[in-house]
Amino acid sequence: MNAVHDKDDLLREAADRFGTPLFVYFLDDIAARAQQIKEGFGGRFALSYAVKSNPNPHLLEWLSSRIEFLDISSHGEFLLGSRGGWQANRMSFTGPGKRAFEVEDTLSKGLGELILESPREAALANEVAGKIGRKQDVLVRLAPAVVPKGFGDNMAGRPCAFGIDVEDVERDLPPILALPNLNVVGFHIYSGTQCLRADAIRQNYQIFMETFATVCEAHDVTPEKLTFGSGLGIPYHDSDKPLEFDKVTSGVNEDLDAFKARPRFRSSTLILELGRYLVGEAGFFATRVVSTKHSRGADIAICDGGMNNHLPASGNFGMVVPRNYSMHRVGGGESKAPVNLVGPLCTSIDRLGRGVELPRLDEGDLVAVHNSGAYGPSASPLHFISHPMPREVIVSGGVMKDVTRKLSDLSPLGV
Ligand SMILES: *Cc1c(COP(=O)(O)O)cnc(C)c1O
């Protein structure tokens, strides 16, 4: 058995005990990844976990003693983080469409930093902070004009909803700095993600640092915090070459040291904000074959979970070219042949793989889809066609725990 199968016994046990379809998250792998990141950057970065990548409250709770900060993107995620034992002052709040009730409740509960995405939001936050008699720490999110090639998704470098475009900083920043109830403690950039190229990541962080430096000099800000949206990608598909992390750190560490040598940034805390690189590869989606069909020359395996549980694996989550996630038949097997893997939904877009080379699949067989620790259930249309919620299980030191969310848990407001 090779490395692909080294978790098969645990995956099979979890499937038998808790039922399928299910997501299994291996916490020891996340711990190892966190350590790799911290050590790789030699402590230059504090880590901030983007809740939206996997908001399972048990995972959040487990992360609270391992990661410095939590980045939330909604009031609901604020409540999930709070339930996971995170104090409000360790949370930052991003998102381009924050509503008044979200700002009011998070600020009054002591939110660490509001990440301002627009002048409108600055005015709103200033008003709310004034009402509750608080001076609120904020970071201003900046949208660079350029994102290097090599990122799977870009949040800047073109017209976009996120942050203040660098071209507009001169106009928009001074009024924000002048607001009496806000304390601009630094800046935030998250401009691209899912990058597997070390050189592009280094180049992007160079753009961040130049942008931070230019803006801080021009407006005489000595930042306490600067947040770098990581962009670190994971190899979703068999043909993807994993990111050479050592290459990232060797280049970036040199740049960070030069940056930190400038008096203005000497005491700035640098934060790496990330989701998928921390938790993605530690998760598997296990689904059981319900039925098989040979149709007009193609073998089809129909599984008990599909795009309703795992939209990204079905290729419907904004991929430029949908490609099969890496996956394997639990237990292995001889003589691989191409098979189309589909879910249980009555729509032809519900597929988990097309022409996947797998050992022959029969009713009852288990398939494990890799890279499923981030953007799984919470990124999927769980309500569509009213199947049960997928199970979620965490495994740590070989011990399993069912952490399945109820459908009603998904909305922390209970509505
Ligand atoms: C989604 C998001 C992240 C995490 O992105 P990954 O690609 O999962 O690392 C970080 N920061 C912000 C502001 C985000 O919206």
Side-chain angles (χ1 to χ4, degrees), residues 50 52-53 71 94 141 188 190 193 230 273-276 375:
K52 82 171 195 282
S53 62
D71 184 61
T94 54
R141 181 166 179 178
H188 174 288
Y190 173 64
T193 190
S230 90
E273 188 174 87
L274 78 178
R276 72 187 74 208
Y375 307 107

Side-chain angles (χ1 to χ4, degrees), residues 8-19 22 366 398 400:
D8 278 4
D9 290 343
L10 290 166
L11 289 171
R12 192 182 286 113
E13 184 189 334
D16 290 344
R17 273 177 64 186
F18 305 106
L22 89 166
L366 264 186
M400 293 182 186

